Amino acid sequence: MAFVYQPDATTTVSVSDNDFLHVPRDVSVHMSNACAISHSNGESVSIMIDGSVVSLGPDAINFAPSGTSGHITVGRTGTVRAGGADAIDAGVYLRGAGARLSNAGVISGGVGDGIRVLGSIGPLIVNAGVISGAPGIALDAFGHTRIVNTGEILGHDLGLGAVRAISASNTATLVNRGAISGPESAVHLGDGVDKVVNSGELSGDVSMGDGT
């Protein structure tokens, strides 16, 4: 296991199996045309963001653990941002059955997704900060994704909503105790058996799709 305290960087930071990567406060990982932090097909990986991770090209973080554990934590001073002009770019591209993301800072996808979920089994997303994008969270997984929100999830694209199922086969459980808002739709889910539990604020329509 390697404990890596990341200094300022302008090249892609690659994370390996069993690594713990920390981007401290006041440290910037900034890429103009490539992913800022990349990890794929490994186990037991943790990434802690207290500084700034920015990509002006593709995804800021591409995270795909292959095992049963992989965790991204964005602290209160942390910022993850994709600033490219492509709508498929994401602040965090999240894949893998054991993936978990906890956010207390800011995750932004610019014109793309704040977080895009992809894979055979969806992850767990816990948000106490701000997640924003065309949809704030795009669900493109084939399995079940769990989202617990006590912060803000914001979507700025008129036709997409703040939480949007891209894959019809995705299912989701959304527990909202914060605020979720979009210009038309707050939540737009797919054909699976979905569940929304709300004790916060939903600004915009809520569509459960063709599921329940």
Side-chain angles (χ1 to χ4, degrees):
M1 175 182 287
F3 292 86
V4 180
Y5 294 91
Q6 181 63 42
D8 288 336
T10 55
T11 57
T12 299
V13 176
S14 296
V15 185
S16 302
D17 289 7
N18 302 308
D19 280 355
F20 177 90
L21 173 70
H22 183 211
V23 179
R25 186 174 180 174
D26 300 325
V27 166
S28 173
V29 179
H30 191 285
M31 291 296 297
S32 59
N33 59 2
C35 182
I37 296 177
S38 178
H39 168 73
S40 62
N41 299 321
E43 299 188 48
S44 302
V45 174
S46 295
I47 299 173
M48 177 74 187
I49 309 295
D50 289 316
S52 176
V53 176
V54 177
S55 172
L56 301 181
D59 315 312
I61 299 177
N62 191 314
F63 190 66
S66 61
T68 57
S69 61
H71 196 177
I72 298 174
T73 302
V74 182
R76 287 182 295 174
T77 60
T79 300
V80 178
R81 180 169 61 89
D86 195 329
I88 66 170
D89 296 339
V92 179
Y93 194 82
L94 194 63
R95 294 176 287 171
R100 172 176 173 145
L101 186 148
S102 301
N103 176 51
V106 175
I107 297 174
S108 172
V111 299
D113 310 324
I115 298 170
R116 176 169 283 253
V117 175
L118 184 70
S120 58
I121 302 177
L124 170 64
I125 298 170
V126 179
N127 179 54
V130 178
I131 299 171
S132 68
I137 300 176
L139 304 175
D140 202 7
F142 299 106
H144 190 78
T145 301
R146 295 166 293 158
I147 303 168
V148 178
N149 178 55
T150 57
E152 293 181 271
I153 303 174
L154 309 173
H156 55 67
D157 191 287
L158 190 63
L160 294 180
V163 178
R164 173 80 179 195
I166 306 298
S167 168
S169 59
N170 181 86
T171 63
T173 297
L174 170 61
V175 178
N176 179 51
R177 296 191 288 269
I180 300 175
S181 65
E184 274 187 352
S185 173
V187 178
H188 191 114
L189 300 176
D191 296 341
V193 180
D194 304 303
K195 182 177 182 180
V196 175
V197 179
N198 179 53
S199 58
E201 178 183 346
L202 294 172
S203 178
D205 294 340
V206 175
S207 171
M208 302 299 288
D210 291 334
T212 2

